[in-house]
Amino acid sequence: MSTRDSWRSSWGNGYGGGGGNGFGGTSFGGTSAWGAGGGDTIFRVLSRGSFQDRGSKRQSGIFSAFSRDGIYEEDDLSLYSNGDIDVPPISKAEDWALMPDVKSYAERGEKDHLKSRKLGITWQNLTVKGVGADAAFNENVRSQFNVPRNIKEGRQPPPLNTIIEDSHGCVKPGEMLLVLGRPGSGCTTLLKMLANRRNGYAEVNGEVKFGSMTAKEALQYRGQIVMNTEEELFFPTLTVGQTMDFATRMKVPYHKFSDQHSDKDFQQEYRDFLMKAMGITHTGDTKVGNEFVRGVSGGERKRVSIIETLATRGSVFCWDNSTRGLDASTALEYTKAVRAMTDVVGLSSVVSLYQAGNGIYNLFDKVLVLDEGREIFYGPRDQARPFMEELGFICGDGANVGDFLTGVTVPTERSVRPGMELSFPRTAEEIRADYMRTDIKATMEKEYAYPQSDEAKENTKEFQEAIAYDKDKTLPKKSPLTVSFPKQVKACVARQYQIVWGDKPTFIIKQLATLVQALVVGSLFYKSSTDSSGLFSKSGALFFSLLYQALMALSEVTDSFAGRPVLAKHKAFAFFHPAAFCIAQIAADLPVLLFQVTQFSLVLYFMVGLKMSASAFFTYWVTLFAIAMCITAVMRAIGAVFSTFDGATKLSGFWFSALVVYTGYFIPKTQMHPWFVWIYWIDPLAYGFEILLANEVHGQTIPCVNQNLIPNGPGYTDTAFQSCAGVMGARQGATSVTGDEYLAGFSYKHSHLWRNFGIIWAWWAFFVFLTIVATSNWKESAGKSGFLVIPRERANKNKQILQKDEESQIKEKKMSSDSVTPLDSSSNSSMDEKTINNQLISNTSVFTWKNLTYTVKTPSGDRVLLDNVQGWVKPGMLGALMGSSGAGKTTLLDVLAQRKTEGSITGSVLVDGRPLSVSFQRSAGYCEQLDIHEPLSTVREALEFSALLRQSRETPNEEKLKYVDTIINLLEMQDIEHTLVGRTGAGLSVEQRKRLTIGVELVAKPSILIFLDEPTSGLDGQAAFNTLRFLRKLAAVGQAVLVTIHQPSASLFKEFDTLLLLARGGKTVYFGDIGVEASTLKDYFARNGAPCPKDVNPAEHMIDVVSGGASQGKDWNQIWLESPEFKEVSNEVDRINKDAVSKPPGTVDDGHEFAMPLWQQIRLVTNRMNVALYRNTDYVNNKFALHIGSALFNGFSFWKIGNSVSELQLKLFTIFNFIFVAPGVINQLQPLFIDRRDIYEFREKKSKMYSWVAFVTGLIVSEFPYLCICAVLYFAPWYYTVGFPTDSNKSGAVFFVMLFYEFIYTGIGQFIAAYAPNAVFASLVNPAIITILVSFCGVLVPYNQIQEFWRYWIYYLNPFNYLISSILTFTVFDVQVQCKDREFALFDTPNNQTCGEYLAPYQAGLGSRTNLINPDATSGCRVCQYRLGSDYLSTLNIDDYYVGWRDAGIVVIFAISSYVMVYALMKLRTKATKTAQ
């Protein structure tokens, strides 16, 4: 074997087949780790002949071999052109730190001889269309009912939008393609096509081949053709180690490397390698986190996303802007890692990047440039720049070539060579036309035959064999998965427990709530009697036992949506079958629900005094467990079936009330109307209730007592002349009832007990199956995204967007590009630059910080995040704050801006040498890294809102609004000022959102300085430059600006005046001027042994020195502390402060915490909330639908209730059922409340925009109009269908009370949400509060049977008690009771007395409210329990009609007090920010 063959074999197998183990710090198994082979693509030869290699045919082509510096000249390769002499195995990433590790393991692969996994992608004539125009309408509550327009628009087919037009390309094994384009040009869509993700697109035409497979054939290999998207989707409570453990466990090959003995060996080595490759080994025990859960830094989270994708061990990788949020050094390391793996393993890598530095750009083989979906260049990387320069465009020295290539169609960004002004191509079409005529295109076209080549066919065959060899033998042949189903389940179960344990507070609260509920309800039904008076309360206890399990399961709907994006990603990675995840959820449920049900049962069962036998207890316990499992499965299935949270909430709320009403407790089965009785048969709770009731009363004899025995009391002791009344199943004339008779009254049988138990599990199995099917069919997000959203009421102001004419756009582009504009010119704004500059506010204050240290508490002790940092920002200065990911840049910004609420801060932060004033937070602008905005505001509304609230109260509103116009012009947002901010995909783009974030701070006229955290992150080069240009403009008029920045290009870096450079742990490495062309900075590092090479971006060099490969093991913080520059900085800070104190302050503190008075804040915030709700049709329609649906359901279930004794109870229950409209609506309103609260807390509160009082008032008041409509929507379909009195004095009174109940439950939902950390937590607290209120309202247990401990306080503090009693009074008080035959007490009299004579003493005393029908009869006396409705109400503690109005008044007081609680809990939650001590 030749040297080269030997090398290739060991390399390839080193990554692949069963061979080599790993490519990094630790080894991992061969094909198992990646495909074998790949050597073919490391050596690329200029074709003066073909290059033969043993065992594989080499295509001829125009490829170059690499040298360390780039490319071999043709002459260098003349020796190799005949194939006799081997080409040196050199990768462009030869200097990657882990490359030696890869080689050291390569030799281990040679002996295993496994197949390669090389594939390659080729596409031709690829055109992709999405549904929708450039803009869509957002309907509002009123406009959605414009039926004629809806019909007219509905009849028009949805417009198709071309996203990619006629794209071609080929990426062979071992090649890397860089896809460049501005946001919206189609890069992500192209990558999705190349990753074989076609869901959600209206039309995909053209051919995409993976090796020699079609796209359809490649579907079964989705785990090998993977895409890393821009979003970081994780379970935030898992640690990095747990996340990576899971990912690597899912890809352990069946045939491992020969010297690996277990799956665990492979998995751990592979995980350790990946974490080492991206430099995040130290984060193993840190939570991944997200925007709201504290975890690793943003850059570290992006790296976790990268290595999770690498864990798939794919053959084709598509990377969509994967360097977003990474510092320049890490971004380069990442690209080198991909380069090394591509070379060694023979991967095909397609990468789209924004702001790619030249170091990164030079690592690629080919470049493809997109502009508005059109491919304007595709060819070798080294020919892209010359091609554009030949057309007349100039690429400046040191400029990023990637940014140059995407800027050629942008008039404000491009520069044109003198003499070419009239002839250069102005549009994408013209450049494309020029490209079509080049030799480059003709040469590249030859590659499109690759899928038909023998090499591709052989590679594909080997790939398929290698994947089959990797795959567990128990998996189906066409399965894209790797590990066996039991292993998938095992890993998913472990992860499920980790998720539960990672969110311990939620888990603990759930269990504590269950214990408290059991104790409270147990005491409510304490020692229920064994006679007829205890039957109702025991039934209530049994019903409640079921109800509580169902209420706890409601939170599953919210949970289902929280984890869905992560599961969709893992499904695309072919980690596991959705069934494994569903089974894992069930397995994780088992111990949790067993514990929950056991503690609930042990407490409740024995406190209530249910049947004392082991068999009865365990039957009760196992039934509750079955019900808990079943209803959890029901709610999970509902969550899985729906694609939107609103849809799922609607059904779960409605379905929940249906299950509860048809349990058989509210309406006995014998009284259910035939049109709805089918619900009973599909209701798991109904089967559970029959089991529990049969289990309790079977085999017992229940004596009738008190009201249920007529007559009773002194003188009535002979049971021969008494009878039971009002007891289900009791025989007339009998004084007791057997358990089985009682059951028969409900049409229940004890023999059904275990049959029903089986049916419950059958329903459970059905819903689990439904969940698995629905989860398996979850689709990725639709392909149509990136469109603007226009509020319907602003349609007239957006005509320029709606009527965009393609030709006029091109025309405008041509015109504006006729005169070539230099980069620093302002764009075509409607105001000239001088006017704008005059209107911008300048600043004279100087801001300093010295010896700033920030410490936080962690489980392992105190952790210092900032260590004695010092510096300053002066007016007119643009300062950069840089460092590697996790160095504490954002932390420093937060501390300086007074935005930390935890930890301790020492040192000084001064403005003009004085301590910070009360108005500092609103006087300083702070642009967060996350662009958090109210999604249903338009751009102009967001800016006006900020201006009106944050500019001084002395400034007239007209002037504030005029300044908004200035900023809109400055930020070039005229086109989009009347469009909604929206959410990602439907609304503003990332770049537009970033501009809005800056605008919101600028319109506040910050008088001290502006902080910006990562303002260029996620933007393309042009957008980043525009953003920096705006900031430079601000500094020019005297603003002080401090910016954290990750990956500045050389041209961006030049814009800054000073630099504060941090190393890990918040330690300073440098602070001071950057100098012209970074000369001062370069000089400092050169003096200390780290000179910046020529043509290297100084920004990238510094980060590399501080944290990357160029650090030389030095402690750069110590070097700084010992440098003369450090002493100068310390002295300068003192001098600046001393100087500033001796002068009047640059900014005068007005003494107000907020710029505007509270009333003005309330007015503006309430108006914004009103507009947002008016536009939120999903939310409002859901609310309306839930009310109409529940009302109709309630009304038709209790249709035209009569006036018999049993029907009086139905009237009580239909009113009681009205209460249950609340849980569904509360579950829906809380996520909205918490979203709004997050916007307030994360941005608006910190900038002192408005008070928490205004926030709460706005949220409360904005709901009022909809709550009034909701009350009408429930009242009208329900009140009249159940047959309540139609007199206006009664119906009006009922409506009044119902209206205020809407306010009560909304207040309850909002005060829970006000303090809850998140929506899932809130959804767990809801059942606890609602069940306590429901339990003590006098329905489940009548007033006189409630334990004294509760009766005299919680009963009277319960709003539901007053609600029910007032509605009952108005509807039942005057009713004439008419007993049905079976309801009469039927008995004979002793000694031939008439019934009247016999019952006279009884009716004068205990039976004063009974109705004797036949007083003159001497036998067969017929007594009805009640005469009037008021007699029945007296048993419910309602003694007079005035109680109705009294309780209605108390309901109003409760409505007010529930809103007071919202204020109280929001105040409790609002923490003061930390200041330096």
Side-chain angles (χ1 to χ4, degrees):
M1 183 185 280
S2 72
T3 310
R4 191 190 57 200
D5 285 331
S6 163
W7 193 89
R8 175 183 299 115
S9 171
S10 59
W11 248 143
N13 292 332
Y15 274 76
N21 229 347
F23 43 80
T26 345
S27 59
F28 56 89
T31 285
S32 330
W34 249 304
D40 282 352
T41 51
I42 295 180
F43 325 106
R44 315 234 170 83
V45 179
L46 286 168
S47 72
R48 278 192 293 181
S50 67
F51 194 127
Q52 295 294 329
D53 177 39
R54 274 174 222 171
S56 76
K57 290 193 179 171
R58 162 73 59 192
Q59 76 282 4
S60 52
I62 54 138
F63 294 104
S64 53
F66 313 140
S67 75
R68 287 179 186 278
D69 303 314
I71 298 171
Y72 283 117
E73 295 302 322
E74 190 166 338
D75 290 341
D76 298 335
L77 291 167
S78 56
L79 294 168
Y80 309 127
S81 59
N82 61 8
D84 294 331
I85 298 176
D86 293 323
V87 177
I90 294 174
S91 164
K92 288 186 183 179
E94 189 71 16
D95 59 345
W96 182 45
L98 297 189
M99 196 58 120
D101 297 338
V102 180
K103 292 182 179 179
S104 70
Y105 289 108
E107 291 168 13
R108 294 167 66 186
E110 204 167 333
K111 60 188 175 187
D112 283 13
H113 305 299
L114 292 190
K115 307 270 185 189
S116 78
R117 296 160 58 140
K118 296 179 291 180
L119 212 50
I121 335 163
T122 312
W123 66 102
Q124 292 184 71
N125 310 317
L126 181 63
T127 298
V128 183
K129 295 184 179 180
V131 176
D134 293 332
F137 281 115
N138 181 83
E139 301 296 348
N140 56 49
V141 171
R142 202 173 65 186
S143 73
Q144 65 178 332
F145 296 114
N146 187 334
V147 179
R149 188 187 60 224
N150 293 345
I151 292 171
K152 183 183 168 191
E153 289 181 359
R155 289 171 67 181
Q156 295 168 349
L160 291 184
N161 185 35
T162 302
I163 306 171
I164 297 285
E165 188 182 306
D166 195 25
S167 175
H168 303 71
C170 175
V171 184
K172 295 180 184 171
E175 288 184 348
M176 282 178 72
L177 169 69
L178 176 61
V179 178
L180 294 170
R182 305 196 74 199
S185 60
C187 297
T188 300
T189 298
L190 178 61
L191 262 62
K192 280 189 174 180
M193 292 302 111
L194 302 187
N196 214 12
R197 294 186 178 193
R198 299 185 170 209
N199 285 337
Y201 292 97
E203 250 180 57
V204 179
N205 298 314
E207 182 182 67
V208 182
K209 286 283 188 81
F210 298 89
S212 60
M213 293 184 288
T214 63
K216 197 170 181 182
E217 289 166 345
L219 281 174
Q220 77 176 80
Y221 299 103
R222 69 165 186 265
Q224 309 306 311
I225 302 166
V226 292
M227 177 169 175
N228 176 254
T229 59
E230 238 181 309
E231 298 86 34
E232 286 111 45
L233 304 169
F234 296 104
F235 290 109
T237 57
L238 291 182
T239 66
V240 173
Q242 288 166 345
T243 303
M244 288 313 302
D245 265 340
F246 179 78
T248 47
R249 280 178 78 176
M250 294 289 90
K251 289 290 182 175
V252 175
Y254 185 68
H255 293 99
K256 285 168 286 300
F257 190 58
S258 54
D259 63 357
Q260 284 176 324
H261 306 298
S262 69
D263 288 359
K264 198 168 185 183
D265 288 350
F266 174 90
Q267 181 260 321
Q268 286 182 345
E269 288 177 1
Y270 191 26
R271 179 201 63 198
D272 294 345
F273 162 73
L274 288 173
M275 290 181 72
K276 188 176 174 185
M278 279 291 121
I280 53 169
T281 314
H282 63 283
T283 64
D285 295 327
T286 311
K287 284 183 181 177
V288 176
N290 62 8
E291 297 93 323
F292 310 119
V293 175
R294 198 162 133 201
V296 296
S297 73
E300 286 165 342
R301 195 175 305 124
K302 173 54 80 178
R303 283 184 265 172
V304 178
S305 173
I306 289 167
I307 61 174
E308 187 188 43
T309 307
L310 289 174
T312 58
R313 299 174 31 249
S315 297
V316 173
F317 282 95
C318 294
W319 302 93
D320 188 16
N321 197 16
S322 298
T323 59
R324 187 177 80 175
L326 298 184
D327 60 78
S329 174
T330 310
L332 184 60
E333 281 295 296
Y334 148 74
T335 317
K336 281 183 179 177
V338 174
R339 175 78 261 176
M341 296 165 197
T342 302
D343 286 343
V344 175
V345 187
L347 306 181
S348 301
S349 300
V350 184
V351 187
S352 78
L353 295 176
Y354 295 149
Q355 301 183 57
N358 289 339
I360 293 173
Y361 177 81
N362 289 333
L363 288 169
F364 287 87
D365 302 312
K366 298 175 181 175
V367 173
L368 187 153
V369 185
L370 285 175
D371 189 287
E372 292 175 355
R374 299 177 186 88
E375 193 174 293
I376 61 172
F377 177 84
Y378 164 66
R381 169 191 48 81
D382 54 329
Q383 295 186 30
R385 177 174 170 175
F387 166 72
M388 293 298 182
E389 288 179 331
E390 279 174 28
L391 296 180
F393 301 107
I394 299 172
C395 181
D397 292 336
N400 282 355
V401 180
D403 294 346
F404 160 69
L405 295 175
T406 53
V408 292
T409 58
V410 186
T412 52
E413 311 303 335
R414 64 191 174 204
S415 298
V416 178
R417 200 165 64 238
M420 299 284 288
E421 290 90 342
L422 299 176
S423 59
F424 77 94
R426 286 158 170 72
T427 63
E429 289 91 339
E430 290 177 21
I431 297 174
R432 181 179 173 131
D434 283 334
Y435 168 72
M436 301 294 268
R437 293 191 287 269
T438 62
D439 293 342
I440 301 171
K441 179 177 186 295
T443 309
M444 300 315 287
E445 276 181 339
K446 292 174 186 171
E447 294 188 347
Y448 303 158
Y450 175 71
Q452 287 79 47
S453 69
D454 291 343
E455 182 188 356
K457 288 172 184 171
E458 191 180 325
N459 281 344
T460 306
K461 185 167 176 278
E462 287 193 4
F463 166 83
Q464 291 168 336
E465 288 169 2
I467 300 304
Y469 190 70
D470 249 9
K471 203 158 55 177
D472 193 281
K473 299 308 169 206
T474 59
L475 291 170
K477 194 177 175 185
K478 291 201 169 181
S479 169
L481 309 174
T482 306
V483 299
S484 66
F485 190 71
K487 285 179 183 173
Q488 293 170 37
V489 173
K490 189 179 170 189
C492 287
V493 170
R495 182 180 66 171
Q496 212 57 30
Y497 283 127
Q498 288 164 348
I499 291 169
V500 170
W501 193 241
D503 192 13
K504 286 191 281 291
T506 303
F507 172 73
I508 291 165
I509 277 166
K510 210 171 183 175
Q511 301 314 319
L512 282 177
T514 301
L515 182 61
V516 169
Q517 282 294 325
L519 287 167
V520 169
V521 177
S523 63
L524 172 69
F525 296 103
Y526 189 67
K527 296 293 178 199
S528 290
S529 60
T530 53
D531 53 36
S532 64
S533 64
L535 278 175
F536 187 67
S537 60
K538 278 187 176 175
S539 299
L542 298 174
F543 169 70
F544 179 81
S545 302
L546 299 170
L547 176 69
Y548 184 73
Q549 310 309 322
L551 270 170
M552 290 303 274
L554 263 179
S555 65
E556 286 299 327
V557 178
T558 316
D559 274 352
S560 168
F561 283 87
R564 182 172 297 191
V566 187
L567 301 174
K569 175 178 80 170
H570 286 173
K571 183 187 167 192
F573 284 170
F575 277 172
F576 53 81
H577 192 281
F581 170 72
C582 297
I583 291 166
Q585 279 188 310
I586 294 160
D589 287 343
L590 288 170
V592 174
L593 290 180
L594 272 172
F595 181 74
Q596 182 179 306
V597 167
T598 302
Q599 62 162 341
F600 183 86
S601 303
L602 284 169
V603 173
L604 189 81
Y605 193 89
F606 297 106
M607 284 184 78
V608 175
L610 298 174
K611 190 191 280 187
M612 287 297 166
S613 78
S615 63
F617 170 74
F618 282 109
T619 303
Y620 170 86
W621 172 81
V622 79
T623 304
L624 283 198
F625 178 69
I627 285 293
M629 290 290 286
C630 187
I631 303 300
T632 299
V634 171
M635 294 306 165
R636 217 168 256 163
I638 291 172
V641 165
F642 279 84
S643 59
T644 65
F645 178 68
D646 280 340
T649 325
K650 217 180 291 181
L651 184 66
S652 64
F654 184 71
W655 188 237
F656 177 78
S657 57
L659 293 182
V660 169
V661 170
Y662 282 86
T663 301
Y665 175 72
F666 285 173
I667 313 174
K669 179 170 172 281
T670 49
Q671 289 178 273
M672 291 177 186
H673 286 289
W675 53 68
F676 277 157
V677 76
W678 57 271
I679 298 175
Y680 172 86
W681 295 111
I682 63 167
D683 183 355
L685 294 181
Y687 294 101
F689 189 63
E690 183 175 0
I691 293 174
L692 296 184
L693 201 59
N695 181 50
E696 179 59 30
V697 302
H698 175 65
Q700 295 195 347
T701 300
I702 303 146
C704 296
V705 296
N706 302 338
Q707 290 175 332
N708 299 127
L709 185 64
I710 298 177
N712 70 68
Y716 298 99
T717 53
D718 189 343
T719 56
F721 306 107
Q722 292 174 303
S723 175
C724 286
V727 179
M728 217 39 150
R731 286 175 290 108
Q732 289 182 316
T735 56
S736 65
V737 61
T738 67
D740 289 331
E741 285 172 344
Y742 182 68
L743 290 173
F746 292 97
S747 80
Y748 291 164
K749 288 182 182 173
H750 181 259
S751 60
H752 290 169
L753 195 147
W754 294 110
R755 178 205 73 174
N756 286 5
F757 186 72
I759 291 172
I760 291 169
W761 283 108
W763 278 120
W764 170 83
F766 170 74
F767 285 112
V768 166
F769 174 73
L770 188 62
T771 308
I772 290 171
V773 171
T775 308
S776 301
N777 290 318
W778 277 350
K779 297 280 190 283
E780 296 159 52
S781 57
K784 173 58 190 155
S785 66
F787 54 91
L788 294 168
V789 182
I790 298 166
R792 179 66 78 173
E793 67 274 21
R794 295 272 188 277
N796 292 336
K797 295 187 176 179
N798 279 295
K799 282 181 179 167
Q800 82 283 2
I801 294 174
L802 295 170
Q803 298 171 355
K804 255 188 189 173
D805 178 58
E806 200 78 13
E807 287 177 31
S808 66
Q809 198 182 356
I810 293 166
K811 208 157 137 192
E812 177 265 310
K813 242 183 183 178
K814 281 185 180 176
M815 282 168 59
S816 65
S817 57
D818 280 343
S819 55
V820 181
T821 328
L823 275 172
D824 61 350
S825 74
S826 175
S827 73
N828 35 345
S829 65
S830 58
M831 304 172 84
D832 65 40
E833 195 161 325
K834 198 171 181 184
T835 313
I836 290 178
N837 289 350
N838 289 340
Q839 289 188 340
L840 287 173
I841 190 165
S842 61
N843 162 39
T844 56
S845 292
V846 63
F847 181 73
T848 62
W849 59 96
K850 187 170 185 185
N851 299 333
L852 202 57
T853 300
Y854 176 57
T855 313
V856 291
K857 303 251 181 248
T858 68
S860 54
D862 286 356
R863 184 175 168 197
V864 177
L865 296 182
L866 295 174
D867 190 357
N868 281 314
V869 184
Q870 53 191 358
W872 63 80
V873 190
K874 297 176 182 175
M877 171 178 144
L878 182 57
L881 174 52
M882 293 180 66
S884 59
S885 299
K889 302 182 294 296
T890 301
T891 305
L892 176 58
L893 229 52
D894 282 344
V895 168
L896 292 178
Q898 307 288 291
R899 296 198 165 206
K900 289 291 185 193
T901 54
E902 309 289 338
S904 65
I905 303 168
T906 58
S908 66
V909 181
L910 306 173
V911 173
D912 292 328
R914 298 164 176 83
L916 304 183
S917 64
V918 70
S919 61
F920 171 77
Q921 278 171 275
R922 66 178 167 82
S923 305
Y926 190 129
C927 298
E928 297 266 6
Q929 187 172 348
L930 300 164
D931 304 308
I932 300 172
H933 298 283
E934 165 55 61
L936 289 163
S937 282
T938 64
V939 170
R940 175 171 279 279
E941 286 163 359
L943 295 169
E944 289 181 349
F945 182 73
S946 180
L948 292 169
L949 280 170
R950 287 178 63 190
Q951 288 189 31
S952 164
R953 58 183 72 187
E954 276 74 45
T955 310
N957 280 354
E958 298 74 35
E959 198 176 309
K960 292 180 182 179
L961 297 178
K962 195 176 173 192
Y963 191 66
V964 169
D965 292 332
T966 304
I967 298 301
I968 285 175
N969 284 309
L970 173 72
L971 297 179
E972 299 159 15
M973 298 180 89
Q974 303 93 323
D975 284 355
I976 56 169
E977 62 178 305
H978 296 295
T979 64
L980 293 183
V981 175
R983 299 191 183 277
T984 312
L988 302 185
S989 67
V990 175
E991 184 243 358
Q992 289 165 335
R993 215 171 277 265
K994 188 63 75 180
R995 278 192 278 160
L996 176 60
T997 303
I998 296 169
V1000 163
E1001 296 303 319
L1002 292 185
V1003 292
K1005 287 194 173 176
S1007 55
I1008 296 174
L1009 82 162
I1010 301 172
F1011 298 103
L1012 297 103
D1013 190 13
E1014 303 288 352
T1016 61
S1017 199
L1019 305 186
D1020 69 315
Q1022 278 75 37
F1025 191 86
N1026 283 344
T1027 306
L1028 251 288
R1029 196 182 65 197
F1030 300 144
L1031 299 180
R1032 186 73 262 175
K1033 204 178 274 186
L1034 291 173
V1037 295
Q1039 255 308 350
V1041 186
L1042 183 60
V1043 182
T1044 67
I1045 192 157
H1046 256 324
Q1047 296 177 41
S1049 64
S1051 55
L1052 285 187
F1053 192 58
K1054 280 194 292 194
E1055 296 290 324
F1056 291 100
D1057 301 313
T1058 60
L1059 169 71
L1060 172 52
L1061 183 59
L1062 295 179
R1064 187 169 293 284
K1067 297 174 189 293
T1068 308
V1069 172
Y1070 178 81
F1071 175 77
D1073 288 345
I1074 292 173
V1076 179
E1077 299 292 335
S1079 54
T1080 312
L1081 180 67
K1082 286 178 183 174
D1083 179 54
Y1084 172 77
F1085 279 102
R1087 273 190 289 118
N1088 290 292
C1092 179
K1094 193 174 182 294
D1095 295 332
V1096 169
N1097 179 352
E1100 292 181 12
H1101 173 66
M1102 294 171 336
I1103 300 290
D1104 210 25
V1105 166
V1106 175
S1107 61
S1111 63
Q1112 305 166 10
K1114 292 182 180 179
D1115 182 347
W1116 286 94
N1117 172 242
Q1118 196 56 41
I1119 292 171
W1120 166 250
L1121 294 175
E1122 292 166 1
S1123 69
E1125 284 88 350
F1126 169 69
K1127 295 181 183 64
E1128 281 173 31
V1129 167
S1130 301
N1131 295 335
E1132 180 67 4
V1133 171
D1134 294 336
R1135 192 196 62 72
I1136 290 170
N1137 287 336
K1138 194 175 174 185
D1139 190 41
V1141 169
S1142 65
K1143 297 176 186 171
T1147 44
V1148 181
D1149 179 24
D1150 59 10
H1152 300 298
E1153 185 179 7
F1154 301 102
M1156 299 302 286
L1158 183 61
W1159 168 245
Q1160 291 290 350
Q1161 294 173 37
I1162 289 172
R1163 189 177 63 79
L1164 289 164
V1165 173
T1166 305
N1167 180 58
R1168 179 174 76 161
M1169 302 286 189
N1170 278 333
V1171 171
L1173 264 193
Y1174 182 61
R1175 290 174 180 157
N1176 194 346
T1177 49
D1178 278 350
Y1179 174 77
V1180 173
N1181 290 351
N1182 244 347
K1183 223 181 180 74
F1184 290 170
L1186 208 54
H1187 278 80
I1188 295 167
S1190 300
L1192 288 170
F1193 183 71
N1194 193 357
F1196 281 97
S1197 293
F1198 295 91
W1199 173 262
K1200 298 294 180 194
I1201 306 170
N1203 294 325
S1204 67
V1205 172
S1206 60
E1207 286 172 318
L1208 288 176
Q1209 196 158 325
L1210 291 183
K1211 290 188 178 185
L1212 167 67
F1213 279 135
T1214 188
I1215 293 166
F1216 182 58
N1217 196 36
F1218 166 54
I1219 284 176
F1220 289 97
V1221 76
V1225 183
I1226 287 175
N1227 268 2
Q1228 184 209 358
L1229 75 84
Q1230 284 175 334
L1232 184 77
F1233 186 102
I1234 289 168
D1235 276 355
R1236 295 271 147 73
R1237 189 193 70 194
D1238 287 340
I1239 293 170
Y1240 171 66
E1241 288 188 338
F1242 281 85
R1243 186 169 63 80
E1244 294 166 343
K1245 183 184 92 171
K1246 290 175 178 177
S1247 56
K1248 299 288 184 187
M1249 199 181 269
Y1250 54 88
S1251 158
W1252 63 270
V1253 176
F1255 168 73
V1256 174
T1257 309
L1259 266 174
I1260 288 172
V1261 172
S1262 61
E1263 290 274 3
F1264 283 178
Y1266 305 101
L1267 295 178
C1268 295
I1269 296 169
C1270 283
V1272 174
L1273 293 178
Y1274 200 103
F1275 175 81
W1278 169 68
Y1279 187 86
Y1280 298 104
T1281 47
V1282 293
F1284 281 153
T1286 53
D1287 322 356
S1288 58
N1289 63 330
K1290 290 186 170 60
S1291 57
V1294 170
F1295 176 74
F1296 174 79
V1297 177
M1298 288 174 71
L1299 173 62
F1300 276 89
Y1301 174 61
E1302 295 285 338
F1303 298 140
I1304 287 175
Y1305 79 70
T1306 302
I1308 290 170
Q1310 288 182 333
F1311 81 63
I1312 293 170
Y1315 202 70
N1318 53 50
V1320 174
F1321 181 93
S1323 69
L1324 293 173
V1325 176
N1326 297 336
I1329 290 182
I1330 288 168
T1331 44
I1332 287 175
L1333 294 177
V1334 162
S1335 305
F1336 289 96
C1337 67
V1339 174
L1340 296 179
V1341 181
Y1343 172 75
N1344 55 12
Q1345 290 182 28
I1346 297 175
Q1347 295 299 317
E1348 289 185 4
F1349 172 76
W1350 299 113
R1351 192 188 307 167
Y1352 297 117
W1353 67 282
I1354 201 166
Y1355 173 81
Y1356 289 106
L1357 289 175
N1358 188 342
F1360 292 3
N1361 157 31
Y1362 301 101
L1363 169 80
I1364 289 170
S1365 68
S1366 57
I1367 297 178
L1368 266 176
T1369 306
F1370 298 137
T1371 54
V1372 175
F1373 198 85
D1374 302 333
V1375 165
Q1376 298 281 336
V1377 178
Q1378 297 160 350
C1379 268
K1380 292 179 179 172
D1381 279 351
R1382 60 183 171 76
E1383 293 174 341
F1384 284 109
L1386 196 62
F1387 51 88
D1388 295 333
T1389 59
N1391 309 323
N1392 255 356
Q1393 287 177 291
T1394 64
C1395 294
E1397 291 165 350
Y1398 174 59
L1399 291 176
Y1402 171 68
Q1403 290 198 304
L1406 288 173
S1408 60
R1409 295 183 182 275
T1410 57
N1411 185 13
L1412 175 61
I1413 302 297
N1414 52 350
D1416 299 328
T1418 54
S1419 64
C1421 301
R1422 293 163 72 82
V1423 179
C1424 187
Q1425 273 180 289
Y1426 310 114
R1427 286 193 182 88
L1428 297 168
S1430 55
D1431 299 329
Y1432 168 66
L1433 294 182
S1434 67
T1435 65
L1436 299 173
N1437 196 34
I1438 301 170
D1439 298 322
D1440 209 335
Y1441 191 78
Y1442 84 88
V1443 170
W1445 281 110
R1446 179 202 73 187
D1447 288 356
I1450 295 172
V1451 166
V1452 174
I1453 294 168
F1454 270 107
I1456 295 165
S1457 64
S1458 70
Y1459 284 129
V1460 170
M1461 285 291 288
V1462 186
Y1463 285 99
L1465 286 164
M1466 194 67 199
K1467 172 64 180 164
L1468 269 177
R1469 185 184 165 82
T1470 307
K1471 296 178 183 174
T1473 52
K1474 296 278 181 182
T1475 53
Q1477 302 300 314

